[in-house]
């Protein structure tokens, strides 16, 4: 059993959360981990080396989790609680409130997870957002579109990774998209919500803003440029840190993000704000009260030498954070895709890995695997991270790598 070290409870993680577990250990923490342990996000053998106590529990049952937290906390003081997964953000706030440790309020965490609650809160506080309506049937969608019009976006209120986030330019497309939307089931045993959002489509460059909120003080850490696929689906195909923009736009974006963070009542967590710079100014797509996915924290670390994983844990512990950049470089990630079919050839993997500036080349596929069409983040088949002295250098290298790698399907 742990003695002097402080105790961190982690409830579930994405694959990239393995780094967060290792970081916790490096910070000298005693790590308790709750996991359903039956889905692809379960801790790996390697993860387990950094976990002191692993509990297998239905993390989709708040009651079960609260019961276990109560049981453990009778004998062990838990100093902080965190999740490395969007779906468990509200649960973590409940646990933090029960334990009396740092975190966002339960209301706030619901508003940063449930996309309808988020839109309502942002609207009530005058933040800059697209027009939106809630619907729960084809009839209510068809009624709503009389107000929202085309092009529009429909989406689930409690999912992630762009699952069933669909753009429609006319009624026919929208009805087809509606069928897809209602069939989408959340992953990891998360309960399906049968309420959906209809939103005005916002045109413009998409970026994200990574920030750290400490006792209500917002520290903006990075602007990330996003490359999103075109068509009816929105698949994030690349990100670059930093996104360089003129001062006026920068100030407008910062104001928009600050308004959003304040409106949602975020006081203690990392935030990942997705913004589109529309001709009418920046508009909030969503604000998450957790680390950005898609290796964005890694890009921030390569570009600025700031470890946002460490920072997320420090905030949860109530420790002081250091937001100073130790360097001013750039990093890019590009995601791989291929024509739908079976993979018959992969080439040049080694060539790319050996090139200076390429920090990661990870393929989630091998010869013989089936590639599906590009519909959401899960249909991507790998990623490449590159670094450079500036954005151009990092992006040129990632474009080169993307061109060199051959993934042939038939
Ligand atoms: N109203 C909108 N107008 C324009 N684009 C939108 C709109 N809503 C969503 N999108 C696009 O779809 C993407 C995914 O939408 P959203 O963030 O709401 O879903 P998500 O499942 O949380 O995705 P992720 O987990 O990848 O952030 C956005 O990043 C954006 O590119
Ligand atoms: Mg999003």
């Amino acid at each position: 059993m742990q003695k002097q070290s402080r105790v961190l409870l982690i409830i579930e993680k994405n694959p990239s959360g393995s780094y967060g577990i290792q970081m916790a250990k490096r910070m000298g923490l005693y790590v308790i981990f709750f996991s359903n342990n039956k889905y692809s996000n379960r801790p790996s053998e390697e993860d387990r080396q950094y976990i002191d106590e692993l509990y297998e529990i239905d993390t989709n049952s708040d009651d079960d989790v609260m019961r276990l937290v109560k049981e453990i906390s009778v004998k062990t003081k838990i100093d902080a609680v965190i999740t490395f997964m969007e779906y468990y953000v509200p649960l973590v706030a409940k646990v933090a409130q029960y334990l009396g440790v740092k975190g966002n309020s339960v209301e706030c965490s619901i508003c940063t997870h449930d996309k309808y609650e988020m839109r309502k809160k942002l609207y009530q506080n005058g933040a800059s957002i697209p027009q939106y309506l809630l619907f729960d049937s084809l009839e209510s969608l068809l009624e709503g579109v009389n107000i929202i019009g085309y092009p529009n976006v429909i989406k689930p209120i409690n999912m992630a990774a762009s699952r069933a986030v669909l753009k429609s330019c006319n009624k026919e497309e929208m009805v087809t998209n509606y069928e897809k939307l209602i069939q989408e089931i959340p992953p990891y045993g998360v309960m399906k919500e049968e309420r959906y959002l209809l939103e005005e489509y916002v045109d413009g460059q998409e970026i994200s803003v990574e920030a750290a909120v400490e006792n209500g003080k917002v520290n903006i850490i990075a602007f990330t440029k996003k490359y999103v696929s075109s068509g009816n689906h929105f698949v994030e195909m690349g990100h670059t840190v930093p996104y360089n923009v003129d001062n006026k736009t920068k100030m407008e974006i910062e104001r928009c993000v600050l308004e959003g963070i304040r409106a949602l009542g975020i006081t203690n967590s990392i935030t990942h704000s997705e913004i589109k710079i529309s001709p009418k100014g920046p508009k909030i797509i969503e604000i998450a009260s957790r680390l950005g996915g898609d290796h964005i924290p890694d890009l921030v670390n390569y570009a600025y030498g700031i470890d946002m994983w460490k920072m997320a844990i420090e905030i949860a512990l109530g420790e002081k954070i250091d937001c100073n950049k130790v360097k001013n470089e750039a990093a890019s990630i590009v995601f791989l895709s291929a024509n739908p079919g079976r993979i018959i050839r992969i080439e040049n993997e080694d060539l790319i890995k050996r090139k200076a500036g390429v920090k990661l080349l990870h393929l989630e596929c091998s010869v013989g695997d089936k590639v599906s069409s590009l519909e959401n983040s899960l249909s991507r088949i790998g990623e490449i991270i590159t670094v450079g002295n500036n954005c151009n250098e990092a992006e040129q290298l990632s474009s080169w790598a993307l061109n060199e790698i051959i993934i042939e399907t038939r």
Side-chain angles (χ1 to χ4, degrees):
M1 193 49 199
Q2 102 286 349
K3 278 293 162 257
Q4 272 78 29
S5 45
R6 282 168 310 162
V7 177
L8 173 68
L9 167 60
I10 305 176
I11 303 179
E12 300 287 14
K13 65 160 196 72
N14 278 326
S16 56
S18 298
Y19 180 82
I21 305 176
Q22 289 174 29
M23 175 51 72
K25 212 66 230 155
R26 254 193 273 156
M27 290 166 75
L29 302 172
Y30 185 88
V31 177
I32 300 180
F33 198 98
F34 286 5
S35 171
N36 243 310
N37 219 20
K38 57 180 177 193
Y39 300 108
S40 58
N41 65 328
R42 75 172 78 85
S44 65
E45 279 309 312
E46 203 197 338
D47 293 335
R48 284 165 187 248
Q49 293 174 27
Y50 304 97
I51 295 172
D52 297 287
E53 287 179 42
L54 173 64
Y55 290 87
E56 191 173 309
I57 180 169
D58 180 3
T59 46
N60 295 312
S61 162
D62 288 15
D63 288 348
D64 285 8
V65 168
M66 290 310 294
R67 213 172 298 126
L68 183 57
V69 167
K70 283 176 194 167
E71 221 175 86
I72 295 173
S73 59
V74 170
K75 36 188 181 29
T76 306
K77 181 175 177 287
I78 300 174
D79 299 282
V81 56
I82 200 164
T83 179
F84 298 136
M85 230 181 157
E86 170 64 35
Y87 293 102
Y88 303 97
V89 165
L91 172 60
V92 157
K94 262 196 200 177
V95 173
Q97 186 186 52
Y98 172 76
L99 294 171
V101 298
K102 283 273 174 195
N104 292 319
S105 72
V106 174
E107 189 199 358
C108 158
S109 66
I110 291 170
C111 289
T112 62
H113 173 64
D114 178 316
K115 292 177 198 286
Y116 177 54
E117 294 302 326
M118 184 183 313
R119 284 279 180 249
K120 276 200 300 190
K121 202 46 133 201
L122 292 172
Y123 177 76
Q124 286 159 4
N125 287 278
S128 173
I129 56 168
Q131 257 199 310
Y132 69 97
L133 282 174
L134 189 71
F135 67 95
D136 59 5
S137 63
L138 184 57
E139 291 71 47
S140 50
L141 171 61
L142 291 172
E143 242 173 66
V145 83
N146 291 328
I147 299 167
I148 304 289
Y150 298 99
N152 63 42
V153 175
I154 55 175
K155 58 172 91 164
I157 61 166
N158 74 330
M159 289 198 212
S162 308
R163 283 173 188 265
V165 179
L166 300 161
K167 179 181 171 191
S168 315
C169 294
N170 53 52
K171 184 172 169 189
E172 200 190 337
E173 272 181 17
M174 195 177 71
V175 172
T176 310
N177 285 339
Y178 171 78
E179 291 304 323
K180 278 194 198 158
L181 172 66
I182 59 171
Q183 275 160 31
E184 188 77 31
I185 310 268
Y188 312 112
V190 171
M191 248 200 13
K192 182 166 169 66
E193 271 274 5
E194 286 176 350
R195 294 179 305 142
Y196 312 96
L197 274 182
L198 165 65
E199 294 183 353
E200 162 199 2
Y201 172 76
V202 181
D203 207 3
Q205 173 63 50
E206 182 164 352
I207 63 156
S208 64
V209 179
E210 325 312 320
V213 192
E214 188 192 22
N215 297 320
K217 180 174 182 280
V218 183
N219 303 278
I220 297 206
I221 311 275
F223 280 27
T224 309
K225 183 173 186 183
K226 295 180 148 7
Y227 296 88
V228 182
S229 66
S230 53
N232 288 357
H233 298 91
F234 300 94
V235 189
E236 290 171 310
M237 296 309 292
H239 308 279
T240 299
V241 173
Y243 172 57
N244 293 318
V245 72
D246 62 89
N247 267 342
K248 181 173 166 280
T249 314
K250 183 167 180 265
M251 276 163 59
E252 283 173 7
I253 296 167
E254 285 188 353
R255 196 181 319 123
C256 174
V257 169
L258 289 176
E259 272 171 14
I261 290 176
R262 297 229 166 90
L264 296 170
I266 301 172
T267 51
N268 284 292
S269 70
I270 295 294
T271 59
H272 170 69
S273 304
E274 295 173 341
I275 306 288
K276 283 197 91 170
I277 309 171
S278 83
K280 291 187 202 150
K283 291 205 177 184
I284 299 170
I285 298 299
E286 65 170 350
I287 299 185
S289 57
R290 52 150 177 89
L291 289 161
D294 277 358
H295 290 277
I296 290 173
D298 300 343
L299 303 186
V300 172
N301 205 351
Y302 283 125
Y304 299 143
I306 294 178
D307 193 320
M308 295 193 74
W309 289 93
K310 182 163 179 268
M311 220 176 234
I313 298 171
E314 286 168 342
I315 294 172
L317 285 164
E319 281 182 2
K320 188 127 194 53
I321 54 170
D322 179 2
C323 301
N324 290 314
K325 294 176 186 169
V326 296
K327 56 182 174 173
N328 221 335
E329 294 173 12
S332 271
I333 184 164
V334 285
F335 294 93
L336 304 169
S337 61
N339 291 329
R342 217 161 270 286
I343 300 179
I344 54 166
R345 185 164 72 107
I346 298 180
E347 268 178 31
N348 289 343
E349 208 180 325
D350 279 354
L351 166 82
I352 295 165
K353 276 184 183 160
R354 277 188 271 113
K355 179 102 169 174
V358 174
K359 294 293 179 188
L360 174 89
L361 189 163
H362 172 66
L363 291 183
E364 273 155 45
C365 58
S366 30
V367 170
D369 286 353
K370 212 170 153 241
V371 176
S372 57
S373 59
L374 205 51
E375 295 202 338
N376 57 44
S377 305
L378 296 117
S379 30
R380 304 175 305 196
I381 53 174
E383 62 257 355
I384 301 168
I385 295 182
T386 56
V387 297
N389 288 318
N390 53 49
C391 295
N392 277 350
E393 270 186 34
E395 288 190 352
Q396 268 168 20
L397 191 53
S398 62
S399 303
W400 169 83
L402 206 52
N403 271 331
E404 285 300 313
I405 190 142
I406 296 167
I407 304 176
E408 195 183 338
T409 51
R410 190 183 290 152

